[in-house]
Amino acid sequence: MASMTSTKTHQNNDDSTSATLPFIILFFSSMIGHELALESLSTTYQFFPHLATSITLFQFGFCVLLPLLLSLLCTDGDAVKSFPRSFKQIWIYVKLSAIVYGATACATTSLTYEGVTYVTKVVFKSAKLIPTMIVGVVMDSLSERSGKIVIKKRKYGVWEYGSAILLCLGAAGFCMSPKHFEGEDVSDGPLTEEDKDGSTKAQMNLEGHWIGIALLTFSVFCDALVPNLQQKLMHGTTDRRIDLVPSLVAKNSEDEEMEMKGLVSEERRRQAQSIQVSNGAGISSQALMVNTNSIGFTLLLLSTIFRRSFIPVVSFITTHPHFLLLHLTVGLGLGTAVLAYTELIRRSGPAVAVTVATLRKVVTVFLSYILFPKPMSGTHVISVGLVIGGFIVGYVGKGRSGN
């Protein structure tokens, strides 16, 4: 019996891996293509004053048009059918877009405060896997307490958290270039007036340092909240259906038994309907992308027209085919990557999707060291060991838990 259970568990794991592996490969390859095209644009056309605006327009545009086109071709236009039509429905995606924007804006703003460096930002951002796991567990518990049905409750053990910590530490160290570890020489001579003034300013900016750390912390919390909210929208939830069982009027033993069987069958049918409603309440990954990015794309387009940047962008694109080709590659690459990432959230959960995104950063940096040779520090070597250790701990934990 135990052998059959173990065989069934391994078979389920293999099926799950084979179902998500194509999306992982698609995510990695699309992001690499997107970043290469983005780098080419930034170096070749850096003289164009509206470059940032044109890139952002294509990125948002493809994150709307690509899933919309796939929805029309493959799922009978479910993205159009599930598009929000009331203010209450639109407000859900406005809040989600605000959280996404808040994560980016807070991380960028934090760098303006004294003591918050690029290294600090990398460490915080690389550690968002752990908050993502914790937020998911808390959200499931809150849903249960409020009477919602959770189809697959998330629960992580010591092995999972240990693996996440090692992966986060490895990603943080590996995503730093050697120049971020180089410190400035400190003179052994007496303090000058400039040194004293600098020391005074550092003490005055101590409060600003903690504001920057607080902004980074809030940014990571937003990053952890977004994929969990996206999964909730795609899976959907429903209220528990609690039906009171009417009292039985005992006529004789035969009638009582038949009536009991009928009640059990009816209860099973109601539970099945309840679960079916819960599964049907969610939306597809294409619909989620269209609903969320339509808001940002609309606001960006209006802002571009208002700032009189739209016509110069269109004019430059029509006269520079190579510029247009790179923009199409950037937009298509990011749109495909986001679609694969959103599908990973729907199929495997936020923790798996964030893990894949974290490892993608490591692979990208590793490829850059191979394609464009540069010196590696001891921190990078240790970081590689931490990432490998994270995989080993996760694999051992997976075997022990049977999940």
Side-chain angles (χ1 to χ4, degrees):
M1 185 69 179
S3 176
M4 292 177 61
T5 304
S6 177
T7 303
K8 187 176 181 180
T9 301
H10 286 297
Q11 183 178 359
N12 292 336
N13 290 335
D14 293 340
D15 293 340
S16 177
T17 302
S18 61
T20 58
L21 187 58
F23 295 100
I24 295 175
I25 296 173
L26 184 62
F27 174 76
F28 270 73
S29 57
S30 300
M31 283 303 298
I32 291 174
H34 165 261
E35 289 173 347
L36 289 175
L38 193 61
E39 179 69 20
S40 179
L41 266 175
S42 302
T43 54
T44 308
Y45 297 97
Q46 57 182 345
F47 61 89
F48 183 57
H50 305 288
L51 181 61
T53 301
S54 62
I55 290 175
T56 310
L57 272 174
F58 270 79
Q59 288 176 332
F60 266 103
F62 270 87
C63 285
V64 175
L65 296 177
L66 181 61
L68 181 61
L69 181 62
L70 288 176
S71 174
L72 293 173
L73 294 176
C74 304
T75 59
D76 197 24
D78 67 322
V80 178
K81 296 175 183 176
S82 61
F83 194 80
R85 290 172 173 81
S86 65
F87 177 78
K88 184 178 180 181
Q89 293 174 336
I90 294 175
W91 184 242
I92 295 174
Y93 297 99
V94 170
K95 291 188 290 185
L96 182 60
S97 300
I99 295 173
V100 174
Y101 175 79
T104 304
C106 289
T108 303
T109 307
S110 67
L111 295 176
T112 62
Y113 288 90
E114 186 73 21
V116 179
T117 62
Y118 175 83
V119 176
T120 312
K121 180 183 174 183
V122 168
V123 171
F124 270 76
K125 284 293 188 178
S126 298
K128 67 181 179 181
L129 172 58
I130 300 172
T132 301
M133 297 165 67
I134 296 173
V135 169
V137 173
V138 172
M139 286 181 63
D140 285 350
S141 299
L142 292 176
S143 296
E144 278 194 334
R145 290 184 180 180
S146 61
K148 303 290 183 181
I149 294 177
V150 180
I151 302 299
K152 188 177 180 181
K153 186 177 179 181
R154 284 163 287 190
K155 186 178 180 182
Y156 306 106
V158 177
W159 291 96
E160 284 84 358
Y161 283 112
S163 174
I165 291 173
L166 291 175
L167 288 175
C168 291
L169 290 175
F174 207 84
C175 291
M176 298 178 191
S177 64
K179 66 180 181 181
H180 295 130
F181 301 101
E182 295 175 0
E184 298 180 356
D185 293 334
V186 180
S187 175
D188 294 330
L191 289 176
T192 64
E193 290 299 325
E194 292 182 358
D195 294 332
K196 293 178 181 178
D197 291 341
S199 177
T200 304
K201 289 180 180 180
Q203 291 177 1
M204 292 174 63
N205 288 325
L206 182 61
E207 184 179 351
H209 168 74
W210 289 112
I211 293 176
I213 295 297
L215 287 173
L216 269 179
T217 303
F218 183 74
S219 172
V220 172
F221 173 74
C222 290
D223 284 332
L225 192 59
V226 167
N228 284 288
L229 290 176
Q230 290 175 331
Q231 186 194 39
K232 185 177 180 180
L233 288 171
M234 286 187 285
H235 284 188
T237 56
T238 185
D239 293 334
R240 291 185 184 274
R241 298 186 177 185
I242 303 175
D243 299 310
L244 297 177
V245 180
S247 59
L248 300 178
V249 180
K251 297 179 181 179
N252 53 50
S253 58
E254 264 185 38
D255 292 339
E256 190 172 279
E257 185 178 356
M258 292 295 295
E259 195 169 352
M260 183 63 72
K261 288 181 179 179
L263 285 172
V264 171
S265 300
E266 180 69 15
E267 182 66 21
R268 287 178 179 174
R269 184 182 66 81
R270 288 174 180 171
Q271 290 178 356
Q273 285 180 347
S274 180
I275 295 175
Q276 188 176 5
V277 169
S278 177
N279 287 333
I283 60 176
S284 65
S285 56
Q286 296 97 325
L288 178 64
M289 282 186 64
V290 171
N291 296 348
T292 305
N293 293 292
S294 294
I295 299 172
F297 180 68
T298 302
L299 294 176
L300 179 64
L301 184 61
L302 293 175
S303 173
T304 305
I305 295 173
F306 179 77
R307 290 186 289 109
R308 299 180 180 180
S309 302
F310 184 74
I311 294 179
V313 168
V314 174
S315 300
F316 195 83
I317 286 176
T318 54
T319 56
H320 295 78
H322 181 253
F323 185 75
L324 174 61
L325 179 62
L326 288 177
H327 272 74
L328 291 175
T329 306
V330 167
L332 183 61
L334 183 64
T336 305
V338 173
L339 186 60
Y341 179 79
T342 309
E343 189 64 23
L344 278 174
I345 294 175
R346 189 184 73 83
R347 290 172 176 264
S348 303
V352 173
V354 173
T355 301
V356 172
T358 303
L359 293 176
R360 194 273 309 170
K361 296 177 183 178
V362 175
V363 171
T364 302
V365 175
F366 185 73
L367 287 176
S368 71
Y369 276 90
I370 295 177
L371 298 176
F372 309 100
K374 60 191 77 172
M376 292 185 67
S377 65
T379 304
H380 290 103
V381 177
I382 296 173
S383 298
V384 173
L386 289 172
V387 172
I388 296 174
F391 276 113
I392 294 174
V393 171
Y395 182 80
V396 172
K398 185 177 179 180
R400 286 175 175 261
S401 62
N403 293 323

